[in-house]
Each structure stands twice: as structure tokens, then as C-alpha cells.
């Protein structure tokens, strides 16, 4: 369950559940760690705090764009191993 902080006023549980449903439909479930709801009269500002995502580097190796070589067969891995690496 995500943490929700409401400031500036009060909102109903039904409205809060609608904001949570919107966050879950906009982002993958479990991605939103917390949400700040700031009530300003008839307007509401929403701020989502997302969980960090791992960064995957993509490189060009032997003519292919890859993140890693874990799915390559032995021949393609040998080709990468034998290539000349320039410094």
C-alpha cells in the first residue's frame, strides 16, 4: 500500500481512492511509493514519488545494440571475445 499525505484541506475517502487508482493506472502497480495530495480550494495538486528503476546500459557490440550478452549463443560470444578492442 502506498503512503498518501494530504495537506491544505480534507478530501473524502472516495476521492482519495480515485487518486490512488489514477496513480496505479498511470504507472505500474508498485512503482508509486508515495503520493502527496495538496488541496487548494476546489483544486488538487498531486505529486507522485516513484520507486527507483535499475539503469541498463545499451552498447553496440559487433553490429548489434545490446544491454548484455547473456542471451547470445557461443559463436557470437566468441566473436565478441576475439574482436580488437581499441583504447
Amino acid at each position: 500500500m502506498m503512503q498518501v499525505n494530504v495537506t491544505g484541506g480534507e478530501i473524502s475517502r472516495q476521492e482519495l481512492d480515485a487518486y490512488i487508482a489514477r496513480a496505479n493506472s498511470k504507472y505500474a502497480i508498485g512503482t508509486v511509493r508515495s503520493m502527496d495530495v495538496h488541496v487548494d480550494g476546489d483544486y488538487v495538486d498531486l505529486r507522485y514519488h516513484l520507486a527507483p528503476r535499475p539503469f541498463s546500459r545499451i552498447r553496440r557490440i559487433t553490429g548489434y545494440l545490446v544491454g548484455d550478452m547473456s542471451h547470445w549463443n557461443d559463436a557470437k560470444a566468441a566473436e565478441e571475445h576475439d574482436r580488437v578492442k581499441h583504447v
Side-chain angles (χ1 to χ4, degrees), residues 2-19:
M2 81 173 71
Q3 178 184 352
V4 179
N5 303 312
V6 179
T7 59
E10 294 184 13
I11 57 175
S12 69
R13 184 67 200 177
Q14 182 181 5
E15 187 176 2
L16 183 60
D17 289 342
Y19 294 138

Side-chain angles (χ1 to χ4, degrees), residues 42-78:
D42 291 338
Y43 298 97
V44 175
D45 294 324
L46 302 176
R47 177 168 291 164
Y48 305 113
H49 302 279
L50 306 177
R53 296 179 68 181
F55 180 79
S56 176
R57 176 173 291 183
I58 296 178
R59 321 179 273 169
R60 185 178 193 97
I61 300 176
T62 65
Y64 298 94
L65 294 175
V66 296
D68 61 32
M69 300 183 331
S70 63
H71 61 280
W72 284 15
N73 63 26
D74 293 339
K76 185 51 81 174

Side-chain angles (χ1 to χ4, degrees), residues 16-37:
L16 183 60
D17 289 342
Y19 294 138
I20 292 171
R22 181 181 187 280
N24 287 331
S25 69
K26 187 171 182 172
Y27 301 100
I29 294 177
T31 303
V32 180
R33 282 191 169 170
S34 65
M35 180 172 59
D36 294 334
V37 180

